[in-house]
């Protein structure tokens, strides 16, 4: 067998040393070095994880244990740090911080988490029904949850992003599944209207939201469009994943002739972009498509599927020596 040269390097990130964590704390909260006990407590609980250190500092600021002074004033500590309960995991710290937010702020943060790591101000305003969304986002920014990116592609809108994907994950997990489902549908509908002529560019995101919203017809439509766009760019792995997503969505629709023919067509596209892929899903999909074509009594379509199966197997076998 031929061995291909390595195409990547594995980097193992170790924990930060205590000295480095102390420097990080002092950089994040200037003046806190006057309270070494607080600094050491943060460093100990931070476990060498810089994001955990930042989250713990955020918790202490939220609780009023640490108070940043104004211009020319130092940072002050209120109460005994030993009396403060800080969860032992990053997830726990973030969940507790989010729970301490005001109701409107928490709802805005969770709504933004539905949209994604990057989200749009006007969409969050529409979903929350808030007329003061700018002030709400600014407050979340000051609490280090999100940050502005700049003007959005949509006229008059502004793009924001979560500072860390874990913040988005925790906020998202705090919502009921039924609430998330409805919100995903609204996001998909909003984005579909705004995308206009650029809908193919947003097709993967549209497919994602309609899939989470359990609109299988729309999921299949946009996933196929995403696959077609990726195939044109020779991004075969991405195209294959999109076609697989579309096929899974079609399988959840009532099986009529239209759905069956779409399934066969998508399977042929899936096979066309997947000959060099290690996935084992292609052959069973082609066999299922052949059975559907036979059930439809369409001899020409049956032959097309059979020819695609032969071509896929030949290509896969001819590339075996490189695996």
């Amino acid at each position: 067998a031929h061995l291909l040269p390595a195409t990547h390097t594995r980097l193992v990130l170790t924990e930060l040393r205590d000295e480095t964590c102390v420097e990080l704390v002092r950089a994040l909260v200037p003046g806190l070095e006057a309270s070494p006990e607080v600094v050491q407590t943060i460093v100990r609980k931070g476990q060498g994880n810089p994001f955990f250190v930042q989250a713990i500092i955020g918790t202490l600021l939220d609780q009023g244990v640490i108070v940043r002074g104004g211009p020319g004033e130092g940072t002050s500590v209120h109460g005994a740090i030993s009396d403060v309960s800080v969860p032992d995991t990053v997830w726990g710290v973030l969940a507790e911080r989010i729970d301490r937010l005001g109701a409107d702020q928490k709802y805005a943060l969770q709504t933004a988490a539905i949209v994604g790591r990057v989200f749009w101000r006007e969409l969050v305003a529409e979903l929350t029904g808030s007329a003061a969304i700018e002030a709400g986002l600014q407050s979340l920014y000051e609490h280090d949850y999100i940050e502005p990116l700049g003007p959005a592609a949509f006229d008059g809108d502004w793009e924001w992003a979560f500072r860390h994907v874990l913040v988005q994950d925790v906020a998202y997990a705090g919502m009921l599944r039924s609430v998330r489902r409805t919100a995903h549908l609204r996001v998909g509908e909003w984005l579909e209207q705004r995308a206009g002529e650029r809908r193919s560019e947003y097709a993967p995101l549209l497919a994602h939201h309609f899939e989470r919203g359990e609109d299988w017809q729309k999921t299949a439509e946009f996933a196929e469009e995403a696959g077609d766009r990726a195939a044109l760019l020779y991004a075969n792995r991405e195209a294959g994943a999109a076609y697989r997503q579309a096929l899974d969505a079609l399988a959840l629709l009532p099986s009529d002739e239209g759905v069956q023919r779409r399934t066969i067509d998508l399977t042929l596209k899936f096979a066309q972009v997947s000959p060099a892929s290690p996935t084992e899903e292609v052959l069973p999909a082609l066999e299922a498509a052949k059975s559907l074509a036979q059930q439809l009594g369409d001899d020409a379509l049956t032959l097309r599927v059979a020819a695609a199966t032969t071509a896929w197997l030949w290509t896969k076998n001819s590339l075996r020596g490189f695996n």
Side-chain angles (χ1 to χ4, degrees), residues 243-254:
Y243 290 142
R244 180 71 266 175
Q245 182 184 20
L247 286 168
D248 290 342
L250 286 179
L252 295 170
L253 292 172

Side-chain angles (χ1 to χ4, degrees), residues 81-158:
I81 188 68
S82 57
D83 295 336
V84 178
S85 174
V86 177
D88 293 326
T89 65
V90 180
W91 187 283
V93 170
L94 290 174
E96 184 177 90
R97 286 196 69 201
I98 291 171
D99 282 341
R100 287 178 178 273
L101 289 171
D104 291 343
Q105 285 183 309
K106 183 177 179 181
Y107 186 39
L109 189 69
Q110 290 179 323
T111 301
I114 291 288
V115 181
R117 176 76 187 274
V118 175
F119 57 92
W120 300 278
R121 178 190 61 202
E122 294 305 312
L123 174 53
V124 175
E126 182 172 319
L127 293 178
T128 59
S130 172
I133 194 61
E134 189 67 47
L137 294 178
Q138 182 63 31
S139 177
L140 292 172
Y141 166 66
E142 291 168 359
H143 282 80
D144 291 327
Y145 292 112
I146 61 176
E147 59 187 351
L149 295 182
F154 310 119
D155 290 340
D157 209 339
W158 198 268

Side-chain angles (χ1 to χ4, degrees), residues 263-280:
T263 299
I264 295 170
D265 185 52
L266 270 166
T267 302
L268 292 172
K269 290 182 178 181
F270 182 41
Q272 189 173 9
V273 300
S274 304
S277 171
T279 180
E280 297 299 324

Side-chain angles (χ1 to χ4, degrees), residues 29 32 38 56-69 75-81 84-86 96-97 100 143:
V29 193
L32 197 60
V38 177
I56 291 170
I57 290 172
T59 296
L60 297 177
L61 287 168
D62 292 345
Q63 295 180 10
V65 176
I66 298 175
V67 178
R68 288 192 175 106
T75 298
S76 58
V77 177
H78 297 258
I81 188 68
V84 178
S85 174
V86 177
E96 184 177 90
R97 286 196 69 201
R100 287 178 178 273
H143 282 80

Side-chain angles (χ1 to χ4, degrees), residues 172 206 211 261 285 301 305 318:
Y172 185 88
L206 283 159
E211 183 178 45
R261 289 188 177 277
L301 194 54
V305 176
S318 67

